[in-house]
Amino acid sequence: DVARDAAAVPSVASRSTIAEPTFRVMGDCAVVCYVRLVQTGFKTVRTEETRVWRRQAATSDLGKWKLVHFHRSKPANGYGA
């Protein structure tokens, strides 16, 4: 049984770290860019992420921020693997 075999293998904990964060607020919009490092055992994977947030104008959510776009890419320099 595949599920039982997978459960028998000890899992390695991973750690996610945000590095080099930058942000810019433009009225009711904000752009956040950063590098995410995910470390699992002795392997580290680097990705670059961007999130676009918009402040809500609806009465029920007035002033709350909502994520409206997300993008993730591996850098071209080869450190993403």
Side-chain angles (χ1 to χ4, degrees):
D1 181 283
V2 174
R4 184 176 49 226
D5 292 343
V9 176
S11 63
V12 177
S14 65
R15 179 183 302 252
S16 181
T17 304
I18 292 177
E20 304 174 27
T22 62
F23 69 94
R24 184 172 185 175
V25 178
M26 300 158 283
D28 288 336
C29 293
V31 178
V32 182
C33 302
Y34 52 89
V35 172
R36 180 179 300 275
L37 301 170
V38 178
Q39 298 165 297
T40 306
F42 294 104
K43 181 179 178 184
T44 301
V45 175
R46 178 180 192 225
T47 57
E48 296 172 353
E49 297 182 4
T50 301
R51 294 177 185 252
V52 179
W53 296 82
R54 183 170 183 245
R55 193 181 342 238
Q56 297 299 103
T59 306
S60 62
D61 293 328
L62 185 63
K64 293 183 181 177
W65 289 89
K66 180 179 179 182
L67 179 66
V68 295
H69 180 74
F70 170 78
H71 177 78
R72 176 184 296 146
S73 60
K74 289 188 176 182
N77 62 11
Y79 291 111

